[in-house]
Amino acid sequence: MSGPHAPVLLAEVIEALSPGPGDIVIDATFGAGGYTRAILATGAEVIALDRDPTVQFHADAVANDFPGRFQLVRTPFSGLAEAFADSGKARLDGAVFDIGVSSMQLDQAERGFSFMRDGPLDMRMSGEGESAADIVNTWDHGPLAHILKLYGEERQSGRIATAILRRRTSAPFTRTLDLAEVVEKALGGRRGAPTHPATRTFQALRIAVNDELGELTAGLEAAEATLSPGGRLAVVTFHSLEDRIVKAFLTERSGNAPGGSRHAPVAVETRKPSFTLAFKGAREAGEAELATNPRARSARLRAAVRTEAPAWKAAA
């Protein structure tokens, strides 16, 4: 599929969703519309969600090609339940999530996502709220080091935070390459490393700016609450933090969580599984897709089918 962003595991996602004429599917991360177009091609209808205002161009093209069967709602995917309720549709037959930053966002230097292109240090998918520059210029050492370690899995988070605080006393950070250079120097240069030293730092800042992991959890819960019995959920992730959340959610909701201690008290109420797994484990891209789309190398697809059981509620 041509375009600015090639959807990964497309055939596997469509197989997991199994859409068809008359079905209603939510594409919770519209982007350039790759999944949406493939779903619409089966005869289904799509309600697309995206908080990025720059996707409107792609949405207009999809609406023109599939009149009457597509609508875009400007919302993060935590707003899935509200978006579906507002649509007036009677049932939801599928939902797909493609988690993380898209290649077209990385390619736009003015968005500030990439350490390889000079641009304003922004990273906001919606263009609203606290930016990456706000974080590195105002946060204290402890909180800054914490997110670098938690979201970036950066082992040298303390050293990087120290370097950032030291540099910002002379001038605030405003550009992506400026921050990337400071991080690189803090870690002693590249030394032939296969990835740029700032990779983890930029990942952590992007996740923090957009509350990506919180949005993922909220989106999964919204899908659980909104999908009709028999409705299908497909989630594509690109790094371990995301995949762990999805795996844990589906493992728990399908009743496959490890049993507790035999000495622990028996739960008063046994929850019925709200999902059954569509397949065990995660699906990965094959060699043919990897040859044309290297971005698919880290992609993982997990999928499940909604049961008739009520959505799980958080313990009081």
Side-chain angles (χ1 to χ4, degrees):
M1 181 174 295
S2 61
H5 173 79
V8 304
L9 295 166
L10 179 59
E12 291 82 355
V13 165
I14 296 302
E15 180 183 3
L17 291 175
S18 189
D23 287 345
I24 309 297
V25 179
I26 285 183
D27 182 349
T29 44
F30 174 72
Y35 293 129
T36 285
R37 285 185 174 275
I39 295 166
L40 288 166
T42 69
E45 296 183 36
V46 172
I47 302 167
L49 314 181
D50 208 304
R51 55 177 157 174
D52 187 341
T54 68
V55 306
Q56 190 62 53
F57 170 81
H58 302 290
D60 291 343
V62 172
N64 183 68
D65 293 341
F66 299 92
R69 291 197 287 120
F70 168 78
Q71 61 176 297
L72 173 70
V73 181
R74 279 284 310 283
T75 183
F77 41 77
S78 59
L80 183 152
E82 292 79 4
F84 180 72
D86 291 343
S87 73
K89 302 297 184 182
R91 58 176 287 118
L92 181 62
D93 302 291
V96 56
F97 294 77
D98 177 3
I99 309 302
V101 65
S102 72
S103 55
M104 66 182 186
Q105 288 170 327
L106 291 171
D107 290 342
Q108 296 170 354
E110 67 274 13
R111 304 298 299 278
F113 287 103
S114 176
F115 48 80
M116 301 299 290
R117 296 174 174 83
D118 188 41
L121 190 56
D122 194 323
M123 301 193 192
R124 295 173 297 178
M125 291 183 180
S126 67
E128 301 174 347
E130 190 174 42
S131 70
D134 293 328
I135 290 177
V136 299
N137 288 321
T138 65
W139 283 27
D140 292 336
H141 183 279
L144 180 57
H146 176 69
I147 65 165
L148 296 182
K149 183 176 182 179
L150 180 64
Y151 297 151
E153 300 179 294
E154 175 55 72
R155 288 176 292 181
Q156 301 297 325
S157 58
R159 178 183 295 182
I160 294 170
T162 297
I164 288 173
L165 265 66
R166 183 185 300 120
R167 210 317 291 280
R168 80 187 192 194
T169 60
S170 59
F173 289 94
T174 61
R175 310 293 293 181
T176 53
L177 293 188
D178 183 17
L179 176 61
E181 182 179 357
V182 168
V183 174
E184 184 175 345
K185 288 181 178 178
L187 297 181
R190 300 194 187 191
R191 300 185 215 168
T195 59
H196 193 286
T199 300
R200 296 179 184 274
T201 295
F202 272 64
Q203 172 184 297
L205 288 171
R206 190 201 79 226
I207 290 174
V209 164
N210 298 290
D211 187 25
E212 291 181 26
L213 302 187
E215 278 290 322
L216 173 56
T217 299
L220 292 172
E221 292 174 351
E224 176 193 27
T226 310
L227 280 165
S228 300
R232 293 169 172 264
L233 173 67
V235 187
V236 177
T237 60
F238 289 88
H239 64 71
S240 59
L241 293 175
E242 302 162 346
D243 187 55
R244 278 181 225 146
I245 290 173
V246 178
K247 179 181 179 181
F249 177 86
L250 292 180
T251 298
E252 179 186 50
R253 296 308 206 262
S254 62
N256 293 313
S261 167
R262 61 187 178 89
H263 302 293
V266 177
V268 175
E269 178 184 359
T270 301
R271 291 172 168 173
K272 294 182 179 179
S274 56
F275 283 99
T276 57
L277 299 181
F279 46 79
K280 292 180 104 177
R283 298 257 171 99
E284 301 179 9
E287 290 301 320
E289 181 172 4
L290 292 175
T292 59
N293 187 7
R295 179 176 178 265
R297 186 166 302 280
S298 60
R300 303 287 184 274
L301 168 66
R302 297 185 186 273
V305 181
R306 189 69 171 87
T307 69
E308 295 185 355
W312 289 27
K313 302 293 184 183

